Coordinates of all heavy atoms in Angstrom, one line a residue:
M1467 N -14.1 17.5 21.3 CA -13.8 16.6 20.1 C -12.7 15.6 20.3 O -11.7 16.0 20.9 CB -13.5 17.8 19.0 CG -13.2 17.1 17.5 SD -12.6 18.2 16.3 CE -13.8 19.1 16.0
N1468 N -12.8 14.4 19.8 CA -11.9 13.4 19.9 C -11.1 13.4 18.8 O -11.5 13.3 17.6 CB -12.6 12.0 20.0 CG -12.7 11.4 21.3 OD1 -12.1 11.9 22.3 ND2 -13.5 10.4 21.6
E1469 N -9.7 13.7 19.1 CA -8.7 13.6 17.9 C -7.9 12.4 18.1 O -7.4 12.1 19.0 CB -7.9 14.8 18.0 CG -7.1 15.0 16.8 CD -6.3 16.4 16.8 OE1 -6.9 17.4 17.3 OE2 -5.0 16.4 16.6
S1470 N -7.9 11.6 16.9 CA -7.1 10.3 16.8 C -5.6 10.7 16.5 O -5.3 11.5 15.5 CB -7.7 9.4 15.8 OG -6.9 8.3 15.8
K1471 N -4.8 10.0 17.4 CA -3.2 10.4 17.0 C -2.6 8.9 16.6 O -2.9 7.9 17.3 CB -2.5 11.0 18.1 CG -3.0 12.4 18.4 CD -2.3 13.0 19.6 CE -2.8 14.3 19.8 NZ -2.0 15.0 20.8
K1472 N -1.9 8.9 15.5 CA -1.2 7.7 15.2 C 0.3 7.8 15.6 O 0.9 8.9 15.4 CB -1.3 7.5 13.6 CG -2.6 7.3 13.0 CD -2.5 7.2 11.6 CE -4.0 6.9 11.1 NZ -4.1 6.7 9.8
A1473 N 0.8 6.7 16.2 CA 2.1 6.7 16.5 C 3.0 6.4 15.2 O 2.6 5.9 14.1 CB 2.4 5.3 17.4
Y1474 N 4.2 6.9 15.2 CA 5.0 6.7 14.0 C 6.5 6.6 14.6 O 6.8 6.9 15.7 CB 4.9 7.8 13.1 CG 5.4 9.2 13.7 CD1 6.7 9.7 13.5 CD2 4.6 10.0 14.3 CE1 7.1 10.7 14.0 CE2 5.0 11.2 14.9 CZ 6.3 11.7 14.7 OH 6.7 12.8 15.2
R1475 N 7.4 5.9 13.6 CA 8.7 5.7 14.0 C 9.5 6.8 13.7 O 9.4 7.3 12.5 CB 9.2 4.4 13.4 CG 8.5 3.2 13.9 CD 8.9 1.9 13.2 NE 10.4 1.9 13.1 CZ 11.1 0.8 12.6 NH1 10.3 -0.4 12.3 NH2 12.4 0.6 12.7
V1476 N 10.4 7.1 14.5 CA 11.4 8.3 14.3 C 12.6 7.7 13.2 O 13.1 8.4 12.4 CB 11.9 8.9 15.5 CG1 12.9 10.1 15.1 CG2 10.7 9.5 16.3
E1477 N 13.0 6.6 13.7 CA 14.2 5.9 12.9 C 13.8 5.5 11.4 O 12.6 5.3 11.2 CB 14.9 4.9 13.6 CG 13.9 3.7 13.9 CD 13.3 3.6 15.2 OE1 13.1 4.6 15.9 OE2 12.6 2.6 15.4
E1478 N 14.7 5.3 10.7 CA 14.5 5.0 9.3 C 13.9 3.5 9.2 O 14.3 2.7 9.9 CB 15.9 5.0 8.5 CG 15.6 4.6 7.0 CD 16.9 4.8 6.3 OE1 17.9 5.5 6.8 OE2 16.9 4.1 5.2
V1479 N 13.0 3.3 8.3 CA 12.4 1.9 8.1 C 13.0 1.4 6.8 O 13.1 2.1 5.8 CB 10.9 2.2 7.9 CG1 10.2 0.8 7.6 CG2 10.2 2.7 9.2
T1480 N 13.5 0.2 7.0 CA 14.0 -0.3 5.7 C 13.2 -1.1 5.0 O 11.9 -1.7 5.4 CB 15.2 -1.3 6.2 OG1 14.6 -2.4 6.9 CG2 16.4 -0.6 7.1
A1481 N 13.5 -1.4 3.6 CA 12.8 -2.2 2.8 C 12.7 -3.6 3.3 O 11.5 -4.4 3.3 CB 13.4 -2.2 1.4
E1482 N 13.7 -4.1 3.8 CA 13.6 -5.4 4.6 C 12.6 -5.6 5.6 O 11.8 -6.5 5.8 CB 15.0 -5.8 5.2 CG 16.2 -6.0 4.1 CD 16.7 -4.8 3.5 OE1 16.4 -3.7 4.1 OE2 17.5 -4.9 2.6
E1483 N 12.5 -4.6 6.5 CA 11.4 -4.5 7.5 C 10.0 -4.6 7.0 O 9.0 -5.2 7.6 CB 11.6 -3.3 8.4 CG 12.8 -3.4 9.4 CD 13.1 -2.1 10.2 OE1 13.1 -1.0 9.4 OE2 13.1 -2.1 11.4
I1484 N 9.7 -3.7 6.0 CA 8.5 -3.7 5.3 C 8.1 -5.1 4.6 O 7.1 -5.6 5.0 CB 8.5 -2.6 4.3 CG1 8.4 -1.2 5.0 CG2 7.1 -2.8 3.4 CD1 8.6 -0.1 4.0
A1485 N 9.2 -5.7 4.0 CA 8.8 -7.0 3.4 C 8.5 -8.1 4.5 O 7.6 -8.9 4.4 CB 10.1 -7.5 2.7
S1486 N 9.2 -7.9 5.6 CA 9.0 -8.9 6.7 C 7.6 -8.7 7.2 O 6.9 -9.7 7.5 CB 10.1 -8.7 7.7 OG 9.8 -9.6 8.8
E1487 N 7.2 -7.5 7.5 CA 5.9 -7.3 8.1 C 4.7 -7.7 7.1 O 3.7 -8.2 7.4 CB 5.8 -5.9 8.5 CG 6.7 -5.4 9.7 CD 6.4 -6.3 10.9 OE1 5.1 -6.5 11.2 OE2 7.3 -6.7 11.7
M1488 N 5.0 -7.4 5.8 CA 4.1 -7.6 4.8 C 3.8 -9.0 4.6 O 2.7 -9.5 4.4 CB 4.3 -7.1 3.4 CG 4.3 -5.6 3.3 SD 4.7 -4.9 1.7 CE 3.7 -5.8 0.7
S1489 N 4.8 -9.8 4.8 CA 4.8 -11.4 4.6 C 3.8 -11.9 5.7 O 2.9 -12.8 5.5 CB 6.1 -11.9 4.7 OG 6.6 -12.0 6.0
V1490 N 3.9 -11.3 6.9 CA 2.9 -11.7 8.0 C 1.4 -11.4 7.6 O 0.6 -12.2 7.7 CB 3.2 -11.1 9.2 CG1 2.2 -11.3 10.4 CG2 4.7 -11.4 9.8
L1491 N 1.2 -10.3 7.0 CA -0.1 -9.9 6.6 C -0.6 -10.7 5.5 O -1.8 -11.2 5.4 CB -0.2 -8.4 6.1 CG 0.0 -7.4 7.2 CD1 0.0 -6.0 6.5 CD2 -1.2 -7.5 8.3
L1492 N 0.3 -11.1 4.4 CA -0.1 -12.0 3.3 C -0.6 -13.4 3.8 O -1.4 -13.9 3.2 CB 1.0 -12.0 2.4 CG 1.3 -10.7 1.6 CD1 2.6 -10.9 0.7 CD2 0.1 -10.4 0.6
K1493 N 0.1 -13.8 4.7 CA -0.2 -15.2 5.4 C -1.6 -15.2 5.7 O -2.3 -16.3 5.7 CB 0.8 -15.6 6.4 CG 2.2 -16.0 5.8 CD 3.1 -16.2 7.0 CE 4.5 -16.5 6.4 NZ 5.5 -16.8 7.5
D1494 N -2.2 -14.0 6.3 CA -3.6 -14.0 6.8 C -4.6 -14.2 5.6 O -5.8 -14.5 5.8 CB -3.8 -12.8 7.5 CG -3.2 -12.8 8.9 OD1 -2.8 -13.9 9.4 OD2 -3.0 -11.8 9.5
F1495 N -4.2 -13.7 4.4 CA -5.1 -13.6 3.3 C -5.0 -14.6 2.2 O -5.9 -14.8 1.4 CB -5.1 -12.2 2.7 CG -5.6 -11.1 3.7 CD1 -4.7 -10.5 4.3 CD2 -6.9 -11.0 3.8 CE1 -5.1 -9.5 5.3 CE2 -7.4 -9.9 4.7 CZ -6.3 -9.1 5.4
F1496 N -3.8 -15.3 2.0 CA -3.5 -16.1 1.0 C -3.0 -17.5 1.4 O -2.2 -17.5 2.4 CB -2.4 -15.5 0.0 CG -2.8 -14.3 -0.7 CD1 -2.6 -13.0 -0.2 CD2 -3.7 -14.4 -1.7 CE1 -2.9 -11.8 -0.8 CE2 -4.1 -13.1 -2.4 CZ -3.7 -11.9 -2.0
E1497 N -3.4 -18.5 0.7 CA -2.9 -19.8 1.0 C -1.7 -20.0 0.3 O -1.5 -19.6 -1.0 CB -4.1 -20.9 0.6 CG -3.9 -22.2 1.2 CD -5.0 -23.1 0.9 OE1 -6.2 -22.7 0.8 OE2 -4.9 -24.1 0.4
G1498 N -0.8 -20.7 0.9 CA 0.5 -21.0 0.3 C 1.7 -20.7 1.1 O 1.4 -20.5 2.4
E1499 N 2.8 -20.8 0.7 CA 4.0 -20.5 1.5 C 4.7 -19.1 1.0 O 4.9 -18.8 -0.2 CB 5.1 -21.6 1.2 CG 6.3 -21.5 2.1 CD 7.3 -22.5 1.8 OE1 6.9 -23.6 1.2 OE2 8.4 -22.4 2.3
I1500 N 5.1 -18.3 2.1 CA 5.7 -17.1 1.9 C 7.0 -17.2 2.7 O 7.0 -17.3 3.8 CB 4.8 -15.9 2.3 CG1 3.4 -15.9 1.7 CG2 5.5 -14.6 2.2 CD1 2.5 -15.0 2.1
V1501 N 8.1 -16.9 1.8 CA 9.4 -16.8 2.5 C 10.0 -15.4 2.3 O 10.0 -15.0 1.0 CB 10.3 -17.9 1.8 CG1 11.7 -18.0 2.4 CG2 9.7 -19.3 2.0
T1502 N 10.5 -14.8 3.3 CA 11.1 -13.5 3.1 C 12.6 -13.6 2.8 O 13.2 -14.4 3.7 CB 10.8 -12.6 4.3 OG1 9.4 -12.5 4.5 CG2 11.3 -11.2 4.2
Q1503 N 13.1 -13.0 1.8 CA 14.6 -13.0 1.6 C 15.0 -11.6 1.4 O 15.0 -11.0 0.4 CB 14.8 -13.8 0.3 CG 14.5 -15.2 0.5 CD 14.8 -15.9 -0.8 OE1 14.9 -15.4 -1.9 NE2 15.0 -17.4 -0.8
G1504 N 15.4 -11.0 2.6 CA 15.7 -9.4 2.4 C 14.6 -8.7 2.3 O 13.7 -8.6 2.8
D1505 N 14.8 -7.9 1.1 CA 13.7 -7.0 0.7 C 12.7 -7.6 -0.3 O 11.9 -6.9 -1.0 CB 14.3 -5.7 0.0 CG 15.1 -6.0 -1.2 OD1 15.3 -7.1 -1.6 OD2 15.4 -5.1 -1.9
K1506 N 12.8 -9.0 -0.5 CA 11.8 -9.7 -1.3 C 11.0 -10.8 -0.6 O 11.5 -11.3 0.3 CB 12.5 -10.4 -2.5 CG 13.4 -9.5 -3.4 CD 14.2 -10.1 -4.3 CE 15.1 -9.1 -5.1 NZ 16.1 -9.7 -5.8
M1507 N 10.0 -11.2 -1.2 CA 9.1 -12.2 -0.6 C 9.0 -13.3 -1.8 O 8.7 -12.7 -2.9 CB 7.9 -11.7 -0.1 CG 7.9 -10.9 1.1 SD 6.3 -10.1 1.4 CE 6.4 -8.9 0.2
L1508 N 9.1 -14.6 -1.5 CA 8.8 -15.6 -2.5 C 7.4 -16.2 -2.1 O 7.3 -16.6 -1.0 CB 9.9 -16.5 -2.7 CG 11.2 -16.1 -3.2 CD1 12.2 -17.2 -3.1 CD2 11.0 -15.5 -4.5
Y1509 N 6.3 -16.0 -2.9 CA 5.1 -16.6 -2.6 C 4.8 -17.6 -3.5 O 4.8 -17.6 -4.7 CB 4.0 -15.5 -2.7 CG 2.6 -16.0 -2.7 CD1 2.2 -16.8 -1.6 CD2 1.8 -15.7 -3.7 CE1 0.9 -17.2 -1.5 CE2 0.4 -16.2 -3.7 CZ 0.0 -16.8 -2.5 OH -1.3 -17.3 -2.5
T1510 N 4.7 -19.0 -2.8 CA 4.4 -20.2 -3.7 C 3.1 -20.7 -3.4 O 2.7 -20.8 -2.3 CB 5.6 -21.3 -3.3 OG1 6.8 -20.7 -3.5 CG2 5.3 -22.5 -4.1
L1511 N 2.2 -20.8 -4.3 CA 0.9 -21.3 -4.3 C 0.9 -22.8 -4.0 O 1.9 -23.5 -4.4 CB 0.1 -21.1 -5.6 CG -0.2 -19.6 -5.9 CD1 -0.6 -19.3 -7.3 CD2 -1.2 -19.0 -5.0
P1512 N -0.2 -23.3 -3.6 CA -0.2 -24.8 -3.4 C 0.1 -25.7 -4.7 O 0.6 -26.7 -4.7 CB -1.7 -25.0 -2.8 CG -2.0 -23.8 -2.2 CD -1.3 -22.7 -3.0
G1513 N -0.2 -25.1 -5.8 CA 0.0 -25.8 -7.1 C 1.3 -25.6 -7.6 O 1.7 -26.3 -8.6
G1514 N 2.2 -24.8 -6.8 CA 3.6 -24.8 -7.3 C 4.0 -23.4 -8.0 O 5.2 -23.2 -8.1
E1515 N 3.1 -22.6 -8.5 CA 3.3 -21.4 -9.1 C 4.1 -20.5 -8.0 O 3.6 -20.4 -6.8 CB 2.2 -20.7 -9.5 CG 1.5 -21.3 -10.7 CD 0.3 -20.5 -11.2 OE1 -0.7 -20.6 -10.4 OE2 0.4 -19.8 -12.1
T1516 N 5.2 -19.8 -8.4 CA 5.9 -19.0 -7.5 C 5.9 -17.6 -8.1 O 6.2 -17.3 -9.1 CB 7.2 -19.6 -7.2 OG1 7.2 -20.8 -6.6 CG2 8.2 -18.7 -6.1
F1517 N 5.7 -16.6 -7.0 CA 5.7 -15.1 -7.5 C 6.8 -14.5 -6.6 O 7.1 -14.9 -5.4 CB 4.4 -14.6 -7.2 CG 3.4 -14.9 -8.0 CD1 2.7 -16.2 -7.6 CD2 3.0 -14.3 -9.2 CE1 1.6 -16.5 -8.6 CE2 2.0 -14.9 -10.0 CZ 1.4 -16.0 -9.8
E1518 N 7.5 -13.6 -7.0 CA 8.5 -12.7 -6.2 C 7.8 -11.4 -5.9 O 7.4 -10.7 -6.9 CB 9.8 -12.5 -7.0 CG 10.9 -11.7 -6.2 CD 12.2 -11.5 -7.0 OE1 12.2 -10.6 -7.8 OE2 12.9 -12.4 -6.7
I1519 N 7.8 -10.9 -4.8 CA 7.2 -9.7 -4.4 C 8.3 -8.9 -3.9 O 8.9 -9.3 -2.8 CB 6.0 -9.8 -3.5 CG1 5.0 -10.7 -4.1 CG2 5.5 -8.4 -3.1 CD1 3.9 -11.1 -3.1
A1520 N 8.7 -7.8 -4.4 CA 9.8 -7.0 -3.9 C 9.3 -5.6 -3.4 O 8.4 -5.0 -3.7 CB 10.8 -6.9 -5.1
V1521 N 10.1 -5.1 -2.4 CA 9.9 -3.8 -1.8 C 11.2 -2.9 -2.1 O 12.3 -3.3 -1.9 CB 9.7 -3.9 -0.2 CG1 9.6 -2.6 0.4 CG2 8.6 -4.8 0.2
K1522 N 10.8 -1.8 -2.6 CA 12.0 -0.9 -3.0 C 11.7 0.5 -2.5 O 10.7 1.1 -2.8 CB 12.2 -0.9 -4.5 CG 13.2 -0.1 -5.0 CD 13.2 -0.1 -6.6 CE 14.1 0.9 -7.3 NZ 14.1 1.0 -8.7
K1523 N 12.6 1.2 -1.8 CA 12.5 2.6 -1.3 C 12.7 3.5 -2.5 O 13.6 3.3 -3.4 CB 13.5 2.7 -0.4 CG 13.4 4.2 0.2 CD 14.3 4.4 1.5 CE 14.1 5.8 2.1 NZ 15.0 5.9 3.2
I1524 N 11.8 4.3 -2.7 CA 11.9 5.2 -3.9 C 12.1 6.7 -3.6 O 12.3 7.5 -4.6 CB 10.7 5.0 -4.9 CG1 9.4 5.3 -4.2 CG2 10.6 3.7 -5.6 CD1 8.2 5.4 -5.2
S1525 N 11.9 7.0 -2.4 CA 12.3 8.5 -2.0 C 12.7 8.5 -0.6 O 12.6 7.5 0.2 CB 11.0 9.3 -2.2 OG 10.0 8.9 -1.1
Q1526 N 13.3 9.7 -0.1 CA 13.9 9.8 1.2 C 12.7 10.3 2.1 O 12.0 11.0 2.1 CB 14.9 10.8 1.1 CG 16.3 10.3 0.7 CD 16.9 9.2 1.6 OE1 16.8 9.2 2.7 NE2 17.5 8.2 0.9

């Protein structure tokens, strides 16, 4: 039987790291500009509308 194993990080992952990695993924799916600022992303559509997307750790 083939058992799939996933790699995982032992050290703590920060909200800033998640926001940074998510911005890369969003760029593949959405047109516009995405700027990462710490634990937040600012997503600006070509028409000028801007959205703030935030990452917040809610548990240990």
